[in-house]
Amino acid sequence: MLEKFQNLNISEVIIQALNEMGFEEPTPIQAESIPVALSGKDMIGQAQTGTGKTAAYGIPVLEKILAADPTKDIQTVVLSPTRELAMQVAEELNHLSQFTSIQALPIYGGQDMERQLRRLRKCPQIIVATPGRLIDHMKRGTINLSHLSTIVLDEADEMLDMGFIDDINLIMSATPDTRQTLLFSATMPKPIQQLAETFLHDPQIIRMKNKEVTIELIEQSYIEVPDRQKFDILCRLLDLQEPDLAIIFVRTKRRVDEVSEALKKRGYSSEGIHGDLTQAKRDTVIRQFREKTIDILVATDVAARGLDISGVTHVFNYDLPQDPESYVHRVGRTGRAGQSGEATTFVIPREMEHLRAIERLIKRRIARRKAPTFSEALEGAQHAAVHNLIAAAEEGNFGGHKENAEELLANYDSVALLAAAIKLLTKEPDMTPVKITEEAPLRVRRDRRPKRSGNHRSGDRTDRGDRGDKRNDDRHADKRRHFSPGSKSSSGSRSAKSSAPHKEKKQHKEPNRSTFKPYFKD
Ligand SMILES: Nc1ncnc2c1ncn2[C@@H]1O[C@H](COP(=O)(O)OP(=O)(O)OP(=O)(O)O)[C@@H](O)[C@H]1O
Ligand SMILES: [Mg+2]
């Protein structure tokens, strides 16, 4: 059992944890990345969403701490673009290290600073942070990166894009030149990769050679629809497809509020999440969704990347994302760890060019489908009612209902009774009037070079994080998880650089010591 992990020279305490977590064999990105990361090389790992990139960097990070000195604090920092992802990654790392003394601590904005200071005093070896709050701690001198041995940028292309790049520069300049740097993401636009390589020394590039960027298991389609008809069509699709868990991505915070309220008005159990909500509210909404006490999450791109919520069967792009890469990450919230999923995208006629840009990025045509009509939705609801009635009849254990049924059948026509039951069970399409403000079509953004953001503000801006929001306005699975093997990597695609003669380590610019006065103990 787990010999394929053992062949990767992984310690017994980590193998034990993998077994406990139900992992059976390494995914392709794990099989390729773990040996490279264990060798101490800098690397960029790119693999489809939901294919185990967290453990691909998590395992080597833990191995390095075990081999060094598990008692020394803050040896590794993992940077994440959102608070929810920082919490989730810390949890996955703590699952992986559960049989060791290693602790991963999430550090993010919106959480009580005193509480974080108390938990920092327990000397965690790993910090999983959103950049803004990490920089706050650096300025206070309550987090010291000068002994750091490894830094990981999860969702690396997002971390190197315009909203974070100044924070990343600041953080990198406070770490030792001897650090190992690991970058992971499902997407890595060329201009961002070039920028990334300025932080890396002689990096190895590991890119999974899948014919598509998105997971083949995700059935993708689009519907061309005027903005004002989107909501009624969304409701018909929800009635027809009856998702277990669905995420609906919209472009602005206002739309999150309006669409989630409108869904509630029509009887759906939905909540919204975006960067302006309090952290407590965000935590509650994500927990309700993970626990399935709500089955629809309406979100801006704050929930687009990394979130690993099992059972998400459907993703709806109510609005197209500004960047094609965001589409990959959004639909990647379903179809994870070998499960299948369905992604439906609404496109207004004037945004068809954006859809084509997405198809070019994912190297796949997205099937066009017709919007379901009112009568199709009604027919679908009737089929669902009949299906549910048969399932209940087959399940049995009717309790007192059996006597009632016998009495009814003795006094009424059986067909009329059944027809009445189906009518009552049929959730007729609800046409309650709702208010959804019309949004302007996407502007075409031609320049994909990472822009250096203007004046740098650390702290809550980044942590609101949720650049996805801001820019547009804002895991233990059941046991024995079997991972459907993806395709092999194209290690052949390793950068020419890795065979280049040993280059002088790039001199990182001297940190501005005045900024971190209390921090750098001269
Ligand atoms: N080797 C494995 N076997 C079985 N399950 C795995 C394995 N590795 C990871 N998983 C599970 O697969 C799911 C997806 O993993 P993870 O979140 O790391 O994916 P990812 O590649 O980071 O996705 P994204 O690009 O969306 O961030 C998680 O629930 C994780 O516990
Ligand atoms: Mg991830």
Side-chain angles (χ1 to χ4, degrees), residues 54 154-155 306:
T54 312
D154 197 358
E155 303 301 342

Side-chain angles (χ1 to χ4, degrees), residues 370-442:
K370 272 183 349 65
T373 60
F374 180 85
S375 51
E376 281 163 341
L378 184 57
E379 200 184 319
Q382 285 161 348
H383 287 158
V386 169
H387 168 80
N388 295 336
L389 197 62
I390 292 168
E394 285 169 346
E395 190 191 313
N397 60 35
F398 302 116
H401 301 306
K402 203 151 179 171
E403 286 73 42
N404 292 336
E406 284 155 353
E407 198 180 322
L408 280 171
L409 283 173
N411 299 301
Y412 293 92
D413 169 58
S414 55
V415 173
L417 282 173
L418 258 184
I422 293 168
K423 183 170 179 340
L424 287 172
L425 283 170
T426 298
K427 185 178 175 300
E428 310 245 329
D430 180 328
M431 295 313 285
T432 308
V434 294
K435 173 185 164 308
I436 309 277
T437 312
E438 218 166 314
E439 296 278 354
L442 275 176

Side-chain angles (χ1 to χ4, degrees), residues 5 21-27 29-30 47-55 85 88 92 154-155 185-186 305-308 329 332-333 336-337 475-477 481-483:
F5 275 113
M21 294 164 75
F23 290 15
E24 295 186 356
E25 58 183 34
T27 63
I29 187 68
Q30 291 166 358
Q48 295 169 320
T49 52
T51 57
K53 292 185 288 296
T54 312
L85 187 54
Q88 175 187 297
E92 180 97 337
D154 197 358
E155 303 301 342
S185 181
R305 283 178 175 256
L307 280 192
D308 181 61
H329 292 276
R333 293 321 96 206
R336 300 176 71 76
R475 287 304 191 146
H476 268 290
R481 297 273 291 298
H482 190 73
F483 212 95

Side-chain angles (χ1 to χ4, degrees), residues 82-84 248-261 271-283 285-286 297-304 307 463-470 472-474:
T82 66
R83 306 168 178 180
E84 285 74 17
I248 298 168
F249 285 104
V250 296
R251 201 175 307 140
T252 65
K253 298 169 197 162
R254 175 178 59 192
R255 197 151 253 199
V256 168
D257 298 339
E258 291 182 346
V259 170
S260 55
E261 273 323 298
E271 283 295 342
I273 187 170
H274 57 65
D276 280 357
L277 299 183
T278 63
Q279 192 51 42
K281 176 69 177 158
R282 289 168 59 164
D283 292 347
V285 169
I286 290 291
L297 178 68
V298 184
T300 56
D301 278 349
V302 70
L307 280 192
D463 288 322
R464 269 181 47 214
D466 315 330
R467 231 168 38 75
D469 284 337
K470 180 123 185 49
N472 301 305
D473 128 17
D474 160 77

Side-chain angles (χ1 to χ4, degrees), residues 212-419:
E212 297 174 16
V213 176
T214 52
I215 288 279
E216 298 76 20
L217 288 165
I218 304 171
E219 189 191 325
Q220 300 174 48
S221 64
Y222 78 91
I223 295 176
E224 190 172 345
V225 57
D227 196 69
R228 65 184 176 290
Q229 291 175 20
K230 285 181 177 179
F231 187 74
D232 286 341
I233 288 169
L234 172 68
C235 292
R236 290 180 201 158
L237 288 169
L238 290 171
D239 293 345
L240 282 167
Q241 296 175 359
E242 289 195 303
D244 290 347
L245 284 182
I247 302 182
I248 298 168
F249 285 104
V250 296
R251 201 175 307 140
T252 65
K253 298 169 197 162
R254 175 178 59 192
R255 197 151 253 199
V256 168
D257 298 339
E258 291 182 346
V259 170
S260 55
E261 273 323 298
L263 285 169
K264 274 186 239 181
K265 259 177 117 177
R266 289 199 178 175
Y268 299 94
S269 82
S270 88
E271 283 295 342
I273 187 170
H274 57 65
D276 280 357
L277 299 183
T278 63
Q279 192 51 42
K281 176 69 177 158
R282 289 168 59 164
D283 292 347
T284 305
V285 169
I286 290 291
R287 190 181 60 253
Q288 288 175 320
F289 192 56
R290 283 186 192 277
E291 293 169 353
K292 301 184 169 52
T293 42
I294 57 171
D295 44 38
I296 298 172
L297 178 68
V298 184
T300 56
D301 278 349
V302 70
R305 283 178 175 256
L307 280 192
D308 181 61
I309 297 174
S310 66
V312 174
T313 51
H314 291 72
V315 165
F316 295 92
N317 288 307
Y318 190 93
D319 298 318
L320 271 180
Q322 179 68 52
D323 297 325
E325 288 77 17
S326 291
Y327 174 89
V328 172
H329 292 276
R330 287 180 173 191
V331 303
R333 293 321 96 206
T334 188
R336 300 176 71 76
Q339 307 295 315
S340 62
E342 188 165 349
T344 306
T345 297
F346 292 161
V347 187
I348 62 175
R350 289 171 56 189
E351 291 177 343
M352 286 307 283
E353 187 193 343
H354 279 270
L355 185 81
R356 299 300 169 223
I358 289 170
E359 290 179 323
R360 284 192 296 277
L361 174 76
I362 66 174
K363 302 188 194 91
R364 162 180 177 169
R365 295 288 288 170
I366 301 173
R368 182 188 180 98
R369 63 183 285 190
K370 272 183 349 65
T373 60
F374 180 85
S375 51
E376 281 163 341
L378 184 57
E379 200 184 319
Q382 285 161 348
H383 287 158
V386 169
H387 168 80
N388 295 336
L389 197 62
I390 292 168
E394 285 169 346
E395 190 191 313
N397 60 35
F398 302 116
H401 301 306
K402 203 151 179 171
E403 286 73 42
N404 292 336
E406 284 155 353
E407 198 180 322
L408 280 171
L409 283 173
N411 299 301
Y412 293 92
D413 169 58
S414 55
V415 173
L417 282 173
L418 258 184

